[in-house]
Amino acid sequence: MVAIWKGKLPREILEIGQQGYAGAEPVVFPEGLEVIDCGLGTNPLGMPESLRRFLGGDTGCNLCDYPAPEPEDLKAAVVSAHPSWKLSREQVLVSGGSMGVLVTLVRLLLRPGSVMSGVSPQFTDTVLQVLYNGASYEPVELEAPHYAMGVPQLLEALGKKPDVLYLDRPNNPTGQVLPLDHVALLARAAMETGTWVISDEAYGDFLPDDESAAMLDFPNLVTCRSFSKGLGAAGIRAGFAVIRDPELAALFHKVQPPFVIGSLDVCMAIEILKDSAFLRETRAYVRMAKTRTLDVAWHKRGWSASDTDDRVPIFLLTQESGNLVQRLAGVGISCESGSGYFGMDDRSVRLRVPAPDKLEAFLERLAKA
């Protein structure tokens, strides 16, 4: 299988010998001699007292200093938190949110004239980064109103030999989950077409680890993860990718800007990964709230819900005509408009289950809308 893998990478990047000073190899100093730091352009007075007070004293994170270019402690925490993935630290690439991972991957894997395939609708911002990079987007158009995703359509798309197949899994906005054995089938087929497969698992923490594409050992498969959704920390902008191809990992290291994830973000992300109880509580609530929400939606005349997984907090709701965004706004429910996705309009909305203390009021308003 590896012998026929012909993934294309901009290897000329590795031939650029000059490196940024921030990424230079560490220097060895004489043992026992106090080192006077005159290196990176930080403030010589250190962290301001106002910031120290705001943080509540000594947090262990010196925010005057630049963060580590490679936060090895966070990578080790990811490996430890997901033992079933059987990863080494070298296979974990961290960035500023999963979006930071995706921007770097698009930069590496797609050039002007390249083609990315996927399904439509799906996460719009990744597609926009592809278009901004001069590549084209040729998705499989899913059929409204259920937007069911099938392997035959994706295999047909792979037959056209796109450079990248992008799958948001769970899908955003429908919340449906392509089974892991289907992802394996697609990755294997993509080996024969020289296609990279990106599994964007921004909502992946709502599923058990053994359903993640990070379980699969294919050199052409990249899995992206986030701290923003199931882990409840969108504000810290931490994310990571699982990359099993050493050459792509090396290119990712070289192309990604230095200091892309902050020291405090790293500290907080490590603590979050230790809190398995919060994730169990989140999963249990989401499944209950999603089931109840769908029960209301399915009983509304003129409404259709997309194919979706009841473990994922989002789904797509469509009405036959009229502006559903405004209809829900009229009863005090905010949502994401369908017009924010390619090929859709305001007859559709993406809904997420609300906070627990708002669930009953939300269900009442949804029934009245």
Side-chain angles (χ1 to χ4, degrees):
M1 185 65 66
V2 175
I4 59 175
W5 161 236
K6 297 179 181 179
K8 298 173 284 295
L9 285 172
R11 294 175 179 85
E12 63 273 14
I13 291 174
L14 294 174
E15 298 171 5
I16 299 172
Q18 179 63 47
Q19 62 186 5
Y21 61 82
E25 292 295 319
V27 176
V28 178
F29 296 97
E31 190 173 346
L33 181 66
E34 181 185 5
V35 176
I36 299 173
D37 185 4
C38 298
L40 294 175
T42 57
N43 190 312
L45 302 187
M47 189 165 63
E49 187 59 33
S50 56
L51 181 55
R52 201 180 304 277
R53 288 195 304 270
F54 176 78
L55 294 173
D58 185 9
T59 64
C61 291
N62 184 354
L63 301 186
C64 175
D65 292 343
Y66 281 100
E70 284 294 320
E72 295 296 333
D73 46 356
L74 176 56
K75 293 162 69 172
V78 169
V79 170
S80 177
H82 303 284
S84 63
W85 295 352
K86 299 180 180 178
L87 299 174
S88 66
R89 291 190 195 181
E90 293 71 29
Q91 294 170 324
V92 178
L93 288 302
V94 300
S95 190
S98 59
M99 196 66 232
V101 172
L102 289 163
V103 168
T104 299
L105 287 173
V106 166
R107 186 178 174 190
L108 286 171
L109 303 180
L110 293 162
R111 300 285 185 89
S114 300
V115 176
M116 186 179 83
S117 186
V119 298
S120 184
Q122 64 183 167
F123 181 51
T124 306
D125 285 276
T126 300
V127 178
L128 290 175
Q129 290 298 321
V130 169
L131 299 177
Y132 298 155
N133 213 44
S136 61
Y137 176 53
E138 299 178 6
V140 172
E141 301 281 352
L142 303 180
E143 187 175 346
H146 301 296
Y147 297 96
M149 194 185 308
V151 168
Q153 309 141 288
L154 291 168
L155 286 173
E156 184 178 349
L158 278 176
K160 299 175 183 177
K161 299 186 177 182
D163 297 276
V164 171
L165 174 64
Y166 173 67
L167 303 170
D168 40 1
R169 180 180 175 273
N171 174 261
N172 175 4
T174 67
Q176 63 187 300
V177 180
L178 195 67
L180 188 59
D181 58 343
H182 292 183
V183 179
L185 189 156
L186 291 168
R188 191 172 291 110
M191 292 278 284
E192 300 180 8
T193 60
T195 301
W196 293 94
V197 179
I198 297 176
S199 180
D200 180 357
E201 298 187 356
Y203 287 89
D205 285 297
F206 294 101
L207 308 177
D209 270 8
D210 61 9
E211 292 188 39
S212 171
M215 293 284 295
L216 303 175
D217 189 5
F218 290 95
N220 62 329
L221 176 62
V222 180
T223 305
C224 304
R225 302 284 290 209
S226 172
F227 283 76
S228 300
K229 317 297 188 194
L231 299 181
I236 73 171
R237 306 316 302 146
F240 65 92
V242 173
I243 296 177
R244 297 186 186 269
D245 182 89
E247 192 171 49
L248 178 59
L251 285 166
F252 191 100
H253 281 300
K254 189 146 191 173
V255 168
Q256 180 167 251
F259 315 128
V260 74
I261 177 170
S263 299
L264 194 55
D265 294 337
V266 169
C267 293
M268 291 187 286
I270 291 170
E271 291 305 309
I272 288 166
L273 288 171
K274 299 175 185 176
D275 192 357
S276 57
F278 176 75
L279 187 54
R280 287 195 300 272
E281 180 184 355
T282 296
R283 288 173 176 173
Y285 169 72
V286 164
R287 191 162 200 169
M288 178 275 293
K290 176 83 170 277
T291 301
R292 292 187 63 190
T293 300
L294 288 173
D295 185 60
V296 173
W298 282 331
H299 284 86
K300 291 283 291 185
R301 181 175 297 178
W303 284 8
S304 297
S306 62
D307 279 15
T308 195
D309 189 304
D310 62 7
R311 299 170 295 176
V312 181
I314 58 172
F315 72 101
L316 189 65
L317 187 63
T318 302
Q319 67 180 15
E320 294 171 358
S321 62
N323 190 316
L324 186 52
V325 178
Q326 289 301 321
R327 182 173 177 178
L328 293 178
V331 294
I333 296 174
S334 71
C335 58
E336 296 299 328
S337 168
S339 60
Y341 296 88
F342 284 89
M344 294 174 57
D345 57 33
D346 288 345
R347 288 173 296 176
S348 299
V349 301
R350 191 197 75 188
L351 280 176
R352 188 208 73 222
V353 299
D357 63 339
K358 301 291 191 298
L359 179 60
E360 298 306 324
F362 164 73
L363 294 173
E364 291 177 9
R365 293 181 187 187
L366 193 64
K368 293 177 181 176

